[in-house]
Amino acid sequence: MAMVCLTDFEEYAKEHLSKATWDYYAAGADECCTRDDNILAFKRIRLRPRILRDVSMSDTRTTVQGTEISFPVGIAPTAFHCLAWHEGEVATARGTEALNTCYITSTYSTCSVEEIVAAAPNGYRWFQLYVYRDRKLSEQIVHRVEGLGYKALVLTVDVPYTGKRRNDIRNQFKLPPHLKVKNFDGVFQQEASVPEDYGIPANTLDPSISWKDVYWLQSITHLPIIIKGILTKEDAELAVEHGVQGIIVSNHGGRQLDGGPASIDALTEIVDTVQGRIEVYLDGGIRTGSDVLKALALGAKCVFIGRPAVWGLAYKGEEGVREVLQILNDEFRLSMALSGCRNVAEINRNLIQLSKL
């Protein structure tokens, strides 16, 4: 069967992954309202296409943090890619490198940052970071990725505690014995008796994390810091005041606080608050090229996909990731042209029928 759209990959993954693995990737918190609304919110937004604009030539290129990428879709940080495909994050890195876009590597990778860089040496990568109670753990990995040529740190700030994902509890989800959180391989061996939380000893994440930790991070690295997990204008303003270089508007794929806004619904107030002082990105709910167009029209510089990348992996590894990205690229180019936009710079809020929001 030809894979025509991202939901084709979703159906394939659901059919071919084990129930526990599928449930883990699909999980939202509690009743999954926010997870589902991430997708439904895009469907509520209507476009105002312009016609007779000579769209015979189109250009999807953009820049993020000063680096040119082929189109404004990257890979969001998602954990445990080896559950979907035996090569895991190595395949994701190669697939993303082939499309010349940004791959945010997860702390919770089942391949190490060194393996990922070796597999795709020319790829453009950021690294997603959590802050642990033991600050040395976070500091060591920051220095590792900086030395390996990662270009930014993506500080995830919406997980002081892990959200309640009911199916993971029902399934008693655990990484299979042959897989590890590779970036911490050997670090926790002496604590083998401690209960685990997604491959790491429970209570390792630091719930006391606060804005002062942004300053701490700035003191140990020269990399740009992007904060992932902001949903309000108040926190967007604080992010700017604390000197970060970007914001990813995100609700963690609906996996943390159920009942929060869809990412796309939170975007406008954050863009209006930031006023171009730093770059604003978005993840959550991107399933079509027109979703990408809508997010950019509302002020996102780039969007990131999480679950669809995993579906691509489950389908055909590196090639599947490449196909998912290529489909989004083609759909985005077509949506741009049908809306009268020849390049990314021509996409603006006039494309959105605001009365329907």
Side-chain angles (χ1 to χ4, degrees):
M1 181 184 81
M3 305 302 264
V4 174
C5 59
L6 268 56
T7 51
D8 288 345
F9 292 86
E10 180 180 19
E11 287 167 14
Y12 180 94
K14 186 170 186 179
E15 193 176 318
H16 288 82
L17 294 173
S18 73
K19 181 182 186 303
T21 296
W22 170 260
D23 285 350
Y24 166 72
Y25 288 135
D30 299 308
E31 296 178 298
C32 300
C33 298
T34 297
R35 179 198 68 180
D36 296 345
D37 203 37
N38 271 347
I39 294 168
L40 294 172
F42 275 101
K43 299 184 192 306
R44 294 193 290 264
I45 297 170
R46 292 290 173 266
L47 294 163
R48 300 176 65 249
R50 300 296 306 278
I51 58 166
L52 299 175
R53 304 262 288 186
D54 183 6
V55 289
S56 55
M57 303 286 286
S58 65
D59 184 357
T60 62
R61 290 173 300 168
T62 191
T63 61
V64 288
Q65 299 298 316
T67 295
E68 184 177 282
I69 55 176
S70 63
F71 73 123
V73 178
I75 303 290
T78 47
F80 308 154
H81 287 193
C82 283
L83 285 176
W85 184 259
H86 64 281
E87 289 184 305
E89 290 82 4
V90 158
T92 309
R94 287 189 190 123
T96 315
E97 180 187 56
L99 268 289
N100 185 30
T101 190
C102 181
Y103 167 35
I104 307 178
T105 302
S106 170
T107 287
Y108 284 71
S109 295
T110 37
C111 300
S112 71
V113 284
E114 290 81 7
E115 289 168 330
I116 290 164
V117 170
N122 299 313
Y124 178 61
R125 279 175 291 271
W126 299 347
F127 182 78
Q128 174 266 332
L129 181 75
Y130 288 109
V131 172
Y132 296 101
R133 291 173 192 266
D134 180 356
R135 289 290 191 276
K136 283 196 175 65
L137 283 181
S138 300
E139 190 168 344
Q140 284 164 359
I141 198 153
V142 166
H143 292 148
R144 274 169 74 187
V145 300
E146 195 165 13
L148 286 164
Y150 280 77
K151 299 302 183 189
L153 293 176
V154 176
L155 177 64
T156 296
V157 294
D158 55 4
V159 191
Y161 301 96
T162 305
K164 183 178 179 181
R165 302 158 198 172
R166 295 174 182 178
N167 281 340
D168 286 350
I169 298 167
R170 292 184 182 111
N171 296 332
Q172 297 184 297
F173 174 82
K174 278 191 173 175
L175 270 183
H178 69 285
L179 296 181
K180 292 176 180 154
V181 179
K182 265 302 208 38
N183 292 319
F184 296 121
D185 195 9
V187 172
F188 298 116
Q189 277 180 348
Q190 73 281 10
E191 302 176 46
S193 61
V194 174
E196 281 196 1
D197 187 15
Y198 295 104
I200 295 280
N203 303 315
T204 304
L205 290 172
D206 191 349
S208 77
I209 184 172
S210 70
W211 286 104
K212 71 179 189 300
D213 293 302
V214 174
Y215 290 140
W216 167 74
L217 206 49
Q218 289 164 337
S219 76
I220 65 167
T221 183
H222 297 297
L223 290 176
I225 294 167
I226 293 152
I227 292 192
K228 176 181 183 293
I230 285 181
L231 292 167
T232 64
K233 62 185 179 184
E234 294 88 349
D235 284 337
E237 184 58 47
L238 283 166
V240 173
E241 288 173 10
H242 282 78
V244 305
Q245 280 72 38
I247 288 169
I248 302 181
V249 179
S250 172
N251 53 38
H252 215 100
R255 294 163 77 81
Q256 282 301 106
L257 175 67
D258 200 27
S263 296
I264 193 68
D265 286 343
L267 178 63
T268 305
E269 74 171 64
I270 290 169
V271 167
D272 290 348
T273 297
V274 167
Q275 291 282 311
R277 291 174 288 172
I278 59 176
E279 292 184 352
V280 177
Y281 317 110
L282 174 137
D283 70 24
I286 299 286
R287 298 293 182 267
T288 67
S290 68
D291 292 342
V292 181
L293 182 65
K294 290 169 183 178
L296 264 65
L298 289 170
K301 181 77 168 161
C302 180
V303 302
F304 293 89
I305 56 168
R307 292 181 182 94
V310 173
W311 305 335
L313 268 182
Y315 173 61
K316 215 180 276 185
E318 171 191 341
E319 189 181 329
V321 172
R322 216 164 54 228
E323 282 187 45
V324 163
L325 286 169
Q326 190 63 58
I327 285 170
L328 276 178
N329 193 348
D330 294 344
E331 289 180 353
F332 174 59
R333 188 183 296 274
L334 181 59
S335 296
M336 274 176 58
L338 295 178
S339 299
C341 298
R342 290 160 290 210
N343 55 55
V344 168
E346 292 185 346
I347 301 170
N348 60 53
R349 209 172 285 185
N350 290 333
L351 267 183
I352 301 293
Q353 197 170 310
L354 287 170
S355 62
K356 297 293 184 186
L357 282 179

